[in-house]
Amino acid sequence: MTTFTGRGHGKLILSGEHAVVYGHPALAVAVDRGAEVSLRRIDGPTRTCAETLCDVRLTEALKAALEPTGWEVSVKSDLPIGRGMGSSAAIAVGLVRAQAAAAGETLDLQTVWERAFAAERAFHGTPSGLDQAVACRGGMLRYLKGPPPIFVDLPCPDQAIVVLDSGEAGDTAQLVAGVRARRPGIDPVLDAIGELVLRVEAALPDPAAVGPLLTENHALLQQIGVSNPMLDGLVQLALDHGAWGAKLAGAGGGGVVIALTAEPESLVEVARAHGVDAFVCQTMPGTTVP
Ligand code: MEV
C-alpha cells in the first residue's frame, strides 16, 4: 500500500523568542533533527500509530487536521516534545507535505507555511509563525511576524550547538499568555530583545562573538519571567565550563538551553556527568525543495 511522507526541520531560536510575538524580529536556525509524517490509506476511522506519539494534544491536533475516516498517520521524530525545538511545527509541516503528496499537489514554501500555521494555531493558540517558518524552509532565518510575515534567509554557518535538556516540558501557550499578562510593564525588555536580535545577526559568522549576546538574551528572558532555576543553572553550567555563551531557547519554563562553545563534545560530557541529557546539534542549510 502506498505511503505518503513529508518532513519538517527542528529548530533552535538564537534570539528573539517571545518578543517576536509583539512585532520584533527573531533569529532561528534549522538543525539536523526533525519529524517525518507518513500517511497510509485505510478502511475505517482515521487513527494514529500509537507507538509513534506520546503527546495526547498532538495526537488530537493531527487527527483534527485529517478527514475523520480513511487515514493512518504515523510520526517519526527525534525532537524532544515541548522542549522548544519546534517539534509540533516540524510535525505540522511534515503533515502538510504528506497530505500534499497524497493529493498529488506540489506546494511552494509560502503555502506549506500557511497550512502548517493554521494547524499550529489549533495546538498553540497564538503562535508567531516563526517555528513553522524554520520547519519548512530550513537554514538560518530572520523572521518578522505579519501580516504579511517577512522571511529573510541568511547565510547559514556550519555550526555545532550544544543542547542541554532541562528534562521538563514548557507549555508554550501558557508561557506566551504569561508574557502577555505582564505587558505593558515588560515592553522595554521586549524592545531590548528586539535590538539584541540585530546585534546577534551582525555577529553571526563568529560564534565567539555571538556567545556573550546569547547570555545577554538569557538575562532578558529572565526579566520577562520565562526562565526558571533549572534553566539558569544549565546556562551557568555551560559558562563555568568554557562556553562563549548560553541561553534558554524557545518558550522557556522548561525545555532546553543552547550553548556555543569551542569544545562541544566536552561540554556534552560534563553535562552528562551532572546528570543532564545533552547532545550536539548541527545547523542545517536551507531547502529550496517544497
Ligand atoms: C516558541 O518556540 C517561540 C515563542 O516566541 C512563541 C512563538 O513565536 O510563537 C515563545
Side-chain angles (χ1 to χ4, degrees), residues 153-241:
D153 295 308
L154 300 168
C156 184
D158 186 11
Q159 181 64 51
I161 301 176
V162 177
V163 178
L164 308 160
D165 190 343
S166 72
E168 292 161 11
D171 184 326
T172 300
Q174 223 174 56
L175 287 149
V176 169
V179 169
R180 177 166 292 122
R182 278 174 229 120
R183 295 187 69 210
I186 58 163
D187 281 0
V189 187
L190 296 173
D191 294 346
I193 293 175
E195 283 160 26
L196 187 59
V197 169
L198 302 178
R199 287 166 59 208
V200 174
E201 183 180 329
L204 267 184
D206 178 5
V210 172
L213 300 175
L214 300 192
T215 311
E216 214 178 297
N217 196 159
H218 183 76
L220 296 170
L221 290 164
Q222 283 176 319
Q223 289 176 40
I224 62 169
V226 296
S227 191
N228 63 25
M230 176 70 179
L231 295 169
D232 298 344
L234 292 177
V235 168
Q236 199 53 53
L237 178 80
L239 296 177
D240 289 348
H241 291 88

Side-chain angles (χ1 to χ4, degrees), residues 221-289:
L221 290 164
Q222 283 176 319
Q223 289 176 40
I224 62 169
V226 296
S227 191
N228 63 25
M230 176 70 179
L231 295 169
D232 298 344
L234 292 177
V235 168
Q236 199 53 53
L237 178 80
L239 296 177
D240 289 348
H241 291 88
W244 291 310
K247 66 181 272 289
L248 74 85
V256 298
V257 158
I258 57 171
L260 290 177
T261 170
E263 307 276 355
E265 292 301 341
S266 67
L267 179 54
V268 165
E269 242 173 72
V270 165
R272 288 186 181 157
H274 281 76
V276 176
D277 186 13
F279 50 91
V280 177
C281 276
Q282 206 63 38
T283 53
M284 283 285 286
T287 174
T288 49
V289 181

Side-chain angles (χ1 to χ4, degrees), residues 11 13 16-21 26 84-86 117 120 124 126-132 143 172 175-176 226 249-252:
K11 66 94 187 45
I13 300 179
E17 50 271 269
H18 287 290
V20 68
V21 176
M85 293 192 66
F117 191 37
E120 272 274 282
H124 277 324
T126 53
S128 65
L130 169 65
D131 291 13
Q132 298 79 340
Y143 177 80
T172 300
L175 287 149
V176 169
V226 296

Side-chain angles (χ1 to χ4, degrees), residues 20 24-26 110 113 128-130 133 137 141-153:
V20 68
H24 294 289
Q110 179 67 23
W113 178 82
S128 65
L130 169 65
R137 302 173 85 87
L141 189 74
R142 181 186 347 116
Y143 177 80
L144 197 63
K145 187 179 151 178
I150 299 174
F151 310 93
V152 180
D153 295 308

